[in-house]
Amino acid sequence: MTARPIIIDCDPGQDDAVALFLAMASPADFEILGITAVAGNVPLELTQRNARIICELAGRTDVPVFAGCDKPMRYELITAENVHGKTGIDGVAVYVPGMPLQTQHAVDFIIETLLAADDGSITLVPTGPLTNIGQAISREPRILPKIREIVLMGGAMREAGNTTPSAEFNILEDPDAAQIVMHCGRPLTIVPLDVTHQVLVSRQRLEQIRAIGTTVGDAIVGMMEFFNRFDSIKYGSDGAPLHDPCTIAYLLEPGLFEGKMCNVEIETGSPLTRGHTAVDFWGVTGRAHNANWLYSVDADGFFALLIDRLKA
Ligand code: RIB
Ligand code: CA
């Protein structure tokens, strides 16, 4: 089996970090062409730094890291230090990474890499606001045939919004970019809160990760102990939802998830409901199906996969 070429676009973020660790722990499955950072959980200068720290912790400084957009396409940047801490990856020591930041802008890297690739060959895995992806598509639509599929974390249907009553953070941050992605015409799988709220980092699961006893395992435990505090109180749950790694897990073991082809549209203007994912789950509009909307996951199977890969 040849490794799938992927680009991970992210805003680390403790859960982005676990997604990156899972991907980097699976070199037979993924050829990570690059990690592109976007402003989101914390400003861009922190997300790009955090991505490099994560690569160094994983011993994967071979993976190039690029800085992308520092604000959404239209609206002002919303950050989430209340969830992720001032560093964006509170729970692990931050420092000035030794590995360099690539000088090329992330959007230029995405465009250049895709234009040079074969049709249908590159998988995009966005786990933050979709600004870099939306900008790349709008600037250079010729990249579209090169995309094998997009698997993104964002949105909510049966779950309420986590940032406004109507909207999940990634989509709220840049609804214009999200709408561009919804209508890109390429195979699209969406991993919403409806799924990620089923994968909670409970105390038992945290101890299983701690038992791995590696640098990466210890870093994840530290970050999850911080990440758990906010959501456990907010949701009254035993642990926080592990959002972003679900994208990588889906690519590794899609059978862990259930989804349905639907029409998904984004509210881009309303001050009240901006960022809402309008999911036509029952096909009442007759609008074209543009996304595989995931709605359930085998949570124990997800954590077994995660821990198995981290041990390897
Ligand atoms: O709403 C959850 C998403 O927003 C996750 O990707 C988290 O990292 C934040 O970016
Ligand atoms: Ca994220």
Side-chain angles (χ1 to χ4, degrees), residues 11-16 40-41 80 84 127-129 153-155 162-163 168-170 193 196 227 243-244:
D11 63 333
Q14 290 87 348
D15 58 324
D16 302 75
N41 289 321
H84 297 274
T127 65
M153 191 277 142
N162 61 2
T163 310
E168 175 278 326
F169 179 82
N170 288 339
L193 297 181
T196 66
F227 188 57
H243 306 287
D244 295 336

Short mmCIF file of all heavy atoms in Angstrom, two decimals, residues 11-16 40-41 80 84 127-129 153-155 162-163 168-170 193 196 227 243-244, ligand 1:
data_model
loop_
_atom_site.label_atom_id
_atom_site.label_comp_id
_atom_site.label_asym_id
_atom_site.label_seq_id
_atom_site.Cartn_x
_atom_site.Cartn_y
_atom_site.Cartn_z
N ASP A 11 -4.77 24.74 13.32
CA ASP A 11 -4.57 25.90 14.20
C ASP A 11 -4.24 25.42 15.61
O ASP A 11 -4.98 25.68 16.57
CB ASP A 11 -5.82 26.80 14.20
CG ASP A 11 -7.06 26.10 14.75
OD1 ASP A 11 -7.15 24.85 14.67
OD2 ASP A 11 -7.94 26.81 15.29
N PRO A 12 -3.13 24.69 15.79
CA PRO A 12 -2.81 24.07 17.08
C PRO A 12 -2.79 25.09 18.22
O PRO A 12 -2.09 26.10 18.15
CB PRO A 12 -1.39 23.52 16.90
CG PRO A 12 -1.14 23.49 15.43
CD PRO A 12 -2.01 24.53 14.82
N GLY A 13 -3.52 24.68 19.23
CA GLY A 13 -4.64 23.79 19.49
C GLY A 13 -4.18 22.37 19.91
O GLY A 13 -3.48 21.70 19.17
N GLN A 14 -4.60 22.05 21.19
CA GLN A 14 -4.25 20.75 21.74
C GLN A 14 -4.82 19.61 20.90
O GLN A 14 -4.15 18.60 20.66
CB GLN A 14 -4.75 20.61 23.19
CG GLN A 14 -4.02 21.46 24.23
CD GLN A 14 -4.60 22.86 24.38
OE1 GLN A 14 -5.43 23.31 23.56
NE2 GLN A 14 -4.17 23.59 25.41
N ASP A 15 -6.06 19.76 20.43
CA ASP A 15 -6.63 18.65 19.65
C ASP A 15 -6.03 18.56 18.26
O ASP A 15 -5.84 17.47 17.71
CB ASP A 15 -8.16 18.73 19.62
CG ASP A 15 -8.69 20.02 19.04
OD1 ASP A 15 -8.09 21.07 19.27
OD2 ASP A 15 -9.72 19.96 18.34
N ASP A 16 -5.66 19.73 17.68
CA ASP A 16 -4.89 19.69 16.43
C ASP A 16 -3.58 18.93 16.65
O ASP A 16 -3.16 18.14 15.80
CB ASP A 16 -4.54 21.10 15.97
CG ASP A 16 -5.72 22.00 15.75
OD1 ASP A 16 -6.30 22.47 16.75
OD2 ASP A 16 -6.08 22.25 14.58
N GLY A 40 -6.49 30.91 14.26
CA GLY A 40 -7.76 30.32 14.73
C GLY A 40 -7.80 30.31 16.25
O GLY A 40 -8.02 31.33 16.88
N ASN A 41 -7.51 29.15 16.82
CA ASN A 41 -7.54 29.05 18.28
C ASN A 41 -6.71 30.17 18.92
O ASN A 41 -7.11 30.73 19.95
CB ASN A 41 -6.97 27.70 18.73
CG ASN A 41 -7.90 26.55 18.41
OD1 ASN A 41 -9.12 26.69 18.55
ND2 ASN A 41 -7.35 25.44 17.96
N ALA A 80 -9.50 31.65 20.78
CA ALA A 80 -10.13 30.81 21.81
C ALA A 80 -9.14 30.47 22.92
O ALA A 80 -8.99 29.31 23.31
CB ALA A 80 -10.70 29.55 21.19
N HIS A 84 -7.99 27.02 24.95
CA HIS A 84 -6.70 26.41 24.64
C HIS A 84 -5.54 27.01 25.43
O HIS A 84 -4.41 26.52 25.34
CB HIS A 84 -6.43 26.54 23.14
CG HIS A 84 -7.43 25.81 22.31
ND1 HIS A 84 -7.31 24.47 21.99
CD2 HIS A 84 -8.59 26.22 21.75
CE1 HIS A 84 -8.36 24.09 21.27
NE2 HIS A 84 -9.15 25.13 21.12
N THR A 127 -8.14 21.14 9.98
CA THR A 127 -8.67 20.96 11.33
C THR A 127 -8.82 22.30 12.05
O THR A 127 -8.92 22.35 13.28
CB THR A 127 -7.76 20.04 12.16
OG1 THR A 127 -6.48 20.69 12.34
CG2 THR A 127 -7.57 18.69 11.50
N GLY A 128 -8.82 23.37 11.30
CA GLY A 128 -9.03 24.71 11.85
C GLY A 128 -9.94 25.48 10.92
O GLY A 128 -10.58 24.90 10.03
N PRO A 129 -10.02 26.80 11.08
CA PRO A 129 -10.77 27.62 10.13
C PRO A 129 -10.27 27.38 8.71
O PRO A 129 -9.10 27.10 8.50
CB PRO A 129 -10.47 29.04 10.61
CG PRO A 129 -10.15 28.89 12.06
CD PRO A 129 -9.44 27.57 12.19
N MET A 153 -12.68 18.95 9.96
CA MET A 153 -13.38 19.01 11.24
C MET A 153 -14.10 20.35 11.30
O MET A 153 -13.49 21.40 11.17
CB MET A 153 -12.43 18.89 12.44
CG MET A 153 -13.16 18.69 13.76
SD MET A 153 -13.73 20.28 14.46
CE MET A 153 -15.34 19.77 15.13
N GLY A 154 -15.45 20.29 11.46
CA GLY A 154 -16.18 21.54 11.61
C GLY A 154 -17.67 21.30 11.55
O GLY A 154 -18.13 20.25 11.11
N GLY A 155 -18.41 22.30 12.04
CA GLY A 155 -19.86 22.25 11.90
C GLY A 155 -20.55 21.48 13.00
O GLY A 155 -19.93 20.85 13.86
N ASN A 162 -20.68 25.40 19.55
CA ASN A 162 -19.82 25.49 20.75
C ASN A 162 -19.27 26.90 20.94
O ASN A 162 -18.64 27.19 21.95
CB ASN A 162 -18.68 24.46 20.70
CG ASN A 162 -17.76 24.65 19.52
OD1 ASN A 162 -17.93 25.58 18.72
ND2 ASN A 162 -16.77 23.76 19.39
N THR A 163 -19.49 27.79 19.96
CA THR A 163 -18.97 29.15 20.09
C THR A 163 -20.09 30.18 20.06
O THR A 163 -20.04 31.18 20.77
CB THR A 163 -17.93 29.44 18.98
OG1 THR A 163 -16.98 28.36 18.95
CG2 THR A 163 -17.20 30.75 19.23
N GLU A 168 -20.28 26.16 15.20
CA GLU A 168 -19.04 25.55 15.69
C GLU A 168 -17.88 26.49 15.31
O GLU A 168 -17.92 27.19 14.29
CB GLU A 168 -18.90 24.16 15.02
CG GLU A 168 -17.63 23.42 15.32
CD GLU A 168 -16.47 23.90 14.44
OE1 GLU A 168 -16.73 24.25 13.28
OE2 GLU A 168 -15.34 23.94 14.93
N PHE A 169 -16.81 26.48 16.11
CA PHE A 169 -15.74 27.48 16.01
C PHE A 169 -15.12 27.58 14.60
O PHE A 169 -14.98 28.68 14.06
CB PHE A 169 -14.64 27.15 17.03
CG PHE A 169 -13.48 28.11 16.99
CD1 PHE A 169 -13.54 29.33 17.65
CD2 PHE A 169 -12.34 27.80 16.26
CE1 PHE A 169 -12.47 30.22 17.60
CE2 PHE A 169 -11.26 28.69 16.21
CZ PHE A 169 -11.33 29.91 16.87
N ASN A 170 -14.68 26.47 14.02
CA ASN A 170 -13.94 26.53 12.75
C ASN A 170 -14.77 27.18 11.64
O ASN A 170 -14.26 27.98 10.85
CB ASN A 170 -13.51 25.13 12.30
CG ASN A 170 -12.39 24.56 13.15
OD1 ASN A 170 -11.67 25.31 13.83
ND2 ASN A 170 -12.25 23.24 13.16
N LEU A 193 -19.28 18.38 15.32
CA LEU A 193 -19.38 18.17 16.77
C LEU A 193 -20.26 16.95 17.08
O LEU A 193 -20.07 16.29 18.10
CB LEU A 193 -19.97 19.41 17.44
CG LEU A 193 -19.18 20.70 17.35
CD1 LEU A 193 -19.90 21.82 18.11
CD2 LEU A 193 -17.76 20.53 17.88
N THR A 196 -17.58 14.46 17.17
CA THR A 196 -16.45 14.65 18.09
C THR A 196 -16.89 14.68 19.55
O THR A 196 -16.13 14.33 20.44
CB THR A 196 -15.66 15.93 17.75
OG1 THR A 196 -16.49 17.08 17.98
CG2 THR A 196 -15.21 15.91 16.30
N PHE A 227 -6.72 20.79 28.48
CA PHE A 227 -7.84 20.90 27.52
C PHE A 227 -9.13 20.39 28.15
O PHE A 227 -10.22 20.91 27.88
CB PHE A 227 -7.48 20.08 26.29
CG PHE A 227 -8.41 20.22 25.11
CD1 PHE A 227 -8.66 21.46 24.54
CD2 PHE A 227 -9.02 19.10 24.56
CE1 PHE A 227 -9.50 21.59 23.43
CE2 PHE A 227 -9.86 19.22 23.45
CZ PHE A 227 -10.10 20.47 22.89
N HIS A 243 -11.66 16.59 19.11
CA HIS A 243 -12.21 16.93 17.80
C HIS A 243 -11.31 16.50 16.63
O HIS A 243 -11.66 15.64 15.84
CB HIS A 243 -12.43 18.44 17.70
CG HIS A 243 -13.24 19.04 18.79
ND1 HIS A 243 -14.61 18.88 18.90
CD2 HIS A 243 -12.88 19.84 19.83
CE1 HIS A 243 -15.06 19.55 19.95
NE2 HIS A 243 -14.03 20.14 20.54
N ASP A 244 -10.17 17.14 16.50
CA ASP A 244 -9.41 17.09 15.25
C ASP A 244 -8.84 15.73 14.87
O ASP A 244 -8.81 15.38 13.68
CB ASP A 244 -8.30 18.14 15.29
CG ASP A 244 -8.87 19.56 15.34
OD1 ASP A 244 -10.03 19.76 14.89
OD2 ASP A 244 -8.18 20.46 15.84
O1 RIB B 1 -14.80 23.48 17.43
C1 RIB B 1 -13.67 22.65 17.57
C2 RIB B 1 -12.61 23.09 16.62
O2 RIB B 1 -12.23 24.44 16.91
C3 RIB B 1 -11.32 22.26 16.77
O3 RIB B 1 -10.67 22.21 15.53
C4 RIB B 1 -10.51 23.07 17.75
O4 RIB B 1 -9.10 22.88 17.59
C5 RIB B 1 -10.88 24.47 17.33
O5 RIB B 1 -10.06 24.83 16.22
#
